[in-house]
Amino acid sequence: MRTENAGLSRGLNSRHIRFIALGSAIGTGLFYGSSASIQAGGPAVLLAYLIGGAAVFLVLRSLGEMAVASPCAGSFGEYANRHLGPLAGFLTGWTYAFEMVIVAVADVTAIGVYMGFWFPEVPRWIWVLAAVLIVGALNLVSVKVFGELEFWLSLVKIVAIVAMIVVGIAVIAFGLGSGHAHVGLSNLWSNGGFFAGGIDGFVISFAIVMFAFGGTEIIGVTAGEAQSPEKTIPGAVNSIPLRIILFYVLTLAVIMSITPWQQISDSGSPFVQIFAGVGLKSAAVVLNVVVLTAALSAINSDIFAAGRTMYGLAERGHGPAAMRRTTPNGVPWVTTLVMIGALLFGVVMNAVVPGEIFLIIASIATFATVFVWVMIMLTHIKARSAMSPEESAALKFPAPFWPYGQIITLVFMTAVLVLLGVDESTRVALVVGVAWLALLTVVYLLAVRRGRHGPAVGAAPADTPAATTAATEKPAGISG
């Protein structure tokens, strides 16, 4: 193992970046979490996915503008550090790493639920532990292996979703599985109306809807290891509207047309439930394999993204210097092991509270995810506002609708954070999130105060490139 910073390997090509972006958007939030959003909002959840998806698209276009202009391992954490100050960069980077840990715990939890389809008597935590160890080991090989693995896992998900939509349309049009009593588009408005969950339920559904989009910001993280960021990032970001319509809105419309929304439970994936419910048992088995693949893909991306973020934090002196160590293949092995260790917490949670863990974890992940998006928007607004007209015109991938689209998106994301505290089932997320930010602030201030009397704990050695960069970029008046 390398003991100094030798840099990350640029082993991700355009094909990898596109499918990593796809894989990040198609995971547990869609295959499992969508049941919770359907229960809350009814068919109107389709509108919630469209609204949330539009907001996320603007976030990613803003991030894409910065990533193409300045690709780096720290991504949005580094951009926040540069434009909003070291504390903002510290909060953003570590909250994103926290987000990936929490999202990954939700993903491994879903694996335990899916395996219960075949082995209902086996304790869930056993499957969770196996998934953590297998995917963690694969992430230690090389970034190219990660990219190839994610490409094939994502390809399986995409093909399966398209096939599911086609089969679902056939079920609706030709009455396949005719033993089912209620099949048809009328299910979208005849079971209590389109807003069957009421306006309150529609609004509350955003807590889970936004969780489903969590992880899409990995596009910015991959820029640090992309071979041609100026080409790969725009293509990946611009494909998001089509993915939202195809993989979320159309898919869930088919699901709720086959099975009335109130009959969809959280005992498994709604994708599996609908085909089992209409008598297509073999299709249900195949789909269970697919949703398992989706969860493994999501964990794969989570470990990658969190590891690279912590690597970037260590490069800025915002994390232990050991996190900058890489393998001969350019993989930050210490941060990958940290992620694996953190995921073992998910194993314990699944053994102790298997019934309640998913909603708790999903709501906490939503707080962390939306906070990171808020910081991305604030960073972009600050960065673009400081540009001259000539500099703005020279941008290779400018974000659209500047500045009104960014301001509206920022207000929407802030409202989602407030929303978490309204509903009793998600209030714990706001409490945990605020406590987390307070803890990070205290840690940062203590490190800064200690840095006035000597090197900060975990800071990069003075003769390393990271230390030199941090010293030259540190704003005046900030010590440590």
Side-chain angles (χ1 to χ4, degrees):
M1 300 297 180
R2 299 180 182 180
T3 56
E4 73 251 359
N5 175 23
L8 300 177
S9 171
R10 286 187 178 268
L12 298 178
N13 57 35
S14 177
R15 173 172 59 90
H16 294 147
I17 299 293
R18 284 180 178 271
F19 277 82
I20 288 171
L22 282 168
S24 65
I26 310 168
T28 304
L30 173 61
F31 286 114
Y32 181 59
S34 56
S35 60
S37 61
I38 290 171
Q39 288 173 355
V45 75
L46 299 176
L47 181 59
Y49 276 104
L50 281 174
I51 295 173
V56 172
F57 174 68
L58 277 177
V59 171
L60 297 186
R61 279 300 303 261
S62 298
L63 175 59
E65 177 185 305
M66 296 184 288
V68 170
S70 179
C72 64
S75 189
F76 34 83
E78 170 59 29
Y79 305 143
N81 182 75
R82 190 179 304 168
H83 298 289
L84 301 178
L87 176 58
F90 186 83
L91 293 176
T92 303
W94 280 110
T95 300
Y96 180 66
F98 176 67
E99 172 198 341
M100 289 295 97
V101 171
I102 297 299
V103 169
V105 171
D107 292 331
V108 295
T109 298
I111 285 180
V113 174
Y114 300 153
M115 291 304 293
F117 179 77
W118 291 305
F119 307 101
E121 304 302 322
V122 177
R124 183 186 297 178
W125 68 267
I126 292 178
W127 306 116
V128 173
L129 177 61
V132 170
L133 296 179
I134 292 171
V135 180
L138 290 172
N139 265 265
L140 287 170
V141 180
S142 74
V143 67
K144 188 172 183 179
V145 169
F146 161 79
E148 284 297 322
L149 177 63
E150 191 58 29
F151 169 78
W152 290 107
L153 290 176
S154 295
L155 184 61
V156 168
K157 291 188 290 187
I158 294 164
V159 171
I161 287 180
V162 172
M164 199 278 312
I165 292 173
V166 172
V167 173
I169 292 174
V171 170
I172 297 168
F174 304 112
L176 298 180
S178 56
H180 199 278
H182 303 284
V183 173
L185 292 175
S186 61
N187 280 334
L188 296 178
W189 58 80
S190 62
N191 295 283
F194 186 70
F195 285 91
I199 297 300
D200 291 347
F202 172 69
V203 172
I204 291 172
S205 72
F206 278 97
I208 302 298
V209 166
M210 302 314 290
F211 165 74
F213 293 121
T216 51
E217 65 279 358
I218 194 177
I219 293 173
V221 179
T222 59
E225 291 171 88
Q227 293 172 354
S228 302
E230 69 282 355
K231 296 179 181 179
T232 57
I233 300 300
V237 171
N238 286 334
S239 66
I240 287 170
L242 178 62
R243 280 187 281 145
I244 290 170
I245 295 173
L246 179 61
F247 298 133
Y248 284 89
V249 179
L250 183 56
T251 301
L252 294 183
V254 168
I255 287 176
M256 288 185 286
S257 295
I258 295 176
T259 302
W261 69 272
Q262 66 269 33
Q263 295 180 19
I264 297 174
S265 71
D266 58 1
S267 59
S269 170
F271 287 70
V272 177
Q273 291 178 43
I274 59 169
F275 287 104
V278 297
L280 300 177
K281 298 294 184 182
S282 58
V285 171
V286 171
L287 276 173
N288 205 54
V289 174
V290 172
V291 296
L292 274 169
T293 302
L296 288 171
S297 167
I299 298 167
N300 194 39
S301 295
D302 297 339
I303 293 177
F304 172 88
R308 272 53 179 186
T309 299
M310 288 187 279
Y311 176 93
L313 285 163
E315 281 205 311
R316 296 198 301 276
H318 286 177
M323 288 184 172
R324 299 173 59 247
R325 295 179 179 177
T326 60
T327 68
N329 290 324
V331 175
W333 63 274
V334 173
T335 60
T336 301
L337 289 179
V338 168
M339 271 297 292
I340 295 172
L343 285 180
L344 293 178
F345 170 73
V347 178
V348 175
M349 290 289 287
N350 274 277
V352 177
V353 285
E356 299 82 12
I357 180 176
F358 186 81
L359 183 58
I360 295 173
I361 292 299
S363 56
I364 294 174
T366 300
F367 176 91
T369 299
V370 177
F371 175 81
V372 169
W373 290 340
V374 166
M375 296 304 291
I376 289 173
M377 296 309 296
L378 288 173
T379 301
H380 177 248
I381 290 172
K382 180 70 179 294
R384 178 69 84 88
S385 299
M387 292 182 182
S388 65
E390 293 75 19
E391 290 173 326
S392 296
L395 289 169
K396 296 180 180 179
F397 188 51
F401 309 118
W402 169 262
Y404 303 108
Q406 285 68 25
I407 295 173
I408 293 172
T409 301
L410 181 61
V411 172
F412 171 77
M413 293 299 178
T414 304
V416 173
L417 289 178
V418 175
L419 173 65
L420 290 174
V422 174
D423 188 66
E424 186 177 352
S425 62
T426 59
R427 194 167 299 148
V428 63
L430 192 60
V431 174
V432 171
V434 171
W436 167 257
L437 295 178
L439 175 63
L440 284 181
T441 302
V442 170
V443 170
Y444 176 81
L445 292 176
L446 289 177
V448 169
R449 191 173 295 114
R450 183 170 183 176
R452 291 170 181 165
H453 304 287
V457 176
D463 58 348
T464 64
T468 303
T469 302
T472 57
E473 293 184 353
K474 186 181 301 179
I478 300 294
S479 61

